[in-house]
Amino acid sequence: MDLPRYWLRDDALELWSIIHEYVSSIVSLTYSNDNEVANDIELNGFTKEIVERGLHAFVDNCGFPNQLSNKADLTDYISVIIFNVSAFHASVNFQTAKYYGFAPGSPSCVALPPPKADEQVTMERILSTLPSKEISELTMVTSYNLGQFSPIEKYLLGDKSLGKGDLTDETMLVGEKQVECIRQLLSKMQELKDKIRERNQNKSYHLYDVLSPDEIPLTTQT
């Protein structure tokens, strides 16, 4: 945490805090105590299916539990899922063209094996090692398309003027207290967006707005 201006870390931690607080409030509205979580047959049937059908081939089921027995664990796991399909995915996915669009900087493959120790590396060797023009073009096109937003995307924070929707557009949470949780979530997302925008007014370092809530889709489109 001593490294200054590490915006990916700082913005991600703030997003995690906002998401976790929101999930905690929804979980508390749904379950009044830990016993209700432990006795929720549908919830624990869901976790069992994830382990037995989705994660059974991985060591220790990737740490995913066979059963959820308290509100704290449920809040943590839901927050992890939401964070990964939204903030984490956005932090890497929408940067693909920037890094993979330039073949010499990040080649998708190499035509020759790596040089051996003390082997003299010439420009000819480098050029012969890089992928062909056709493969480089394919990598550029693929990375560009992977980094595009879907036209039906919904975001952590919407912007009606730009046609961007959010949780207020389509949600099954329609109870008064649930709607208030959504309002608080969006309010905190707006505060983070404003903070990132204000930070980017400083021209002494490179602009970073990848994790601005209005640039993060709610989920991963397939």
Side-chain angles (χ1 to χ4, degrees):
M1 297 296 292
D2 293 333
L3 184 63
R5 300 178 184 173
Y6 187 3
W7 307 133
L8 169 61
R9 173 201 62 199
D10 298 341
D11 295 346
L13 285 173
E14 288 207 46
L15 283 165
W16 167 263
S17 178
I18 295 171
I19 291 171
H20 192 272
E21 182 179 348
Y22 165 72
V23 173
S24 178
S25 64
I26 294 295
V27 167
S28 293
L29 286 176
T30 308
Y31 302 96
S32 58
N33 55 60
D34 291 340
N35 286 334
E36 290 186 0
V37 175
N39 295 325
D40 189 327
I41 298 175
E42 292 186 357
L43 171 65
N44 284 296
F46 170 68
T47 58
K48 183 180 180 181
E49 183 175 354
I50 290 177
V51 170
E52 294 182 352
R53 296 182 179 273
L55 303 175
H56 63 279
F58 297 93
V59 177
D60 193 30
N61 301 321
C62 295
F64 202 87
N66 288 287
Q67 181 179 6
L68 291 166
S69 58
N70 58 74
K71 291 165 60 177
D73 286 348
L74 176 58
T75 297
D76 286 345
Y77 281 104
I78 294 177
S79 298
V80 166
I81 293 171
I82 294 176
F83 181 86
N84 275 279
V85 300
S86 59
F88 176 75
H89 177 260
S91 71
V92 293
N93 183 73
F94 298 112
Q95 305 302 299
T96 50
K98 181 184 296 183
Y99 297 106
Y100 293 103
F102 181 60
S106 186
S108 58
C109 64
V110 291
L112 295 175
K116 299 178 180 179
D118 301 325
E119 180 181 344
Q120 183 178 4
V121 178
T122 63
M123 181 58 69
E124 182 180 359
R125 169 62 186 270
I126 294 174
L127 293 176
S128 298
T129 301
L130 292 173
S132 67
K133 181 175 67 174
E134 291 77 15
I135 293 178
S136 297
E137 182 179 8
L138 179 61
T139 303
M140 291 173 63
V141 172
T142 302
S143 62
Y144 173 80
N145 284 310
L146 284 174
Q148 298 302 299
F149 292 103
S150 167
I152 61 172
E153 214 85 73
K154 297 291 188 295
Y155 297 82
L156 289 181
L157 180 66
D159 187 334
K160 304 305 182 191
S161 66
L162 298 176
K164 288 185 173 182
D166 52 34
L167 276 176
T168 59
D169 295 305
E170 298 178 20
T171 179
M172 297 176 65
L173 303 178
V174 295
E176 183 178 343
K177 293 182 179 179
Q178 294 172 327
V179 171
E180 180 57 31
C181 290
I182 293 176
R183 290 197 191 99
Q184 293 180 12
L185 169 72
L186 296 180
S187 176
K188 289 181 171 61
M189 289 295 181
Q190 183 64 53
E191 290 176 5
L192 178 57
K193 174 187 174 181
D194 294 341
K195 179 179 179 180
I196 292 173
R197 180 188 296 167
E198 181 178 353
R199 180 187 72 205
N200 284 329
Q201 299 302 314
N202 189 332
K203 305 300 183 182
S204 63
Y205 46 78
H206 186 66
L207 178 148
Y208 185 82
D209 61 357
V210 176
L211 291 182
S212 182
D214 59 322
E215 295 295 331
I216 301 176
L218 284 171
T219 186
T220 304
Q221 295 286 348
T222 57

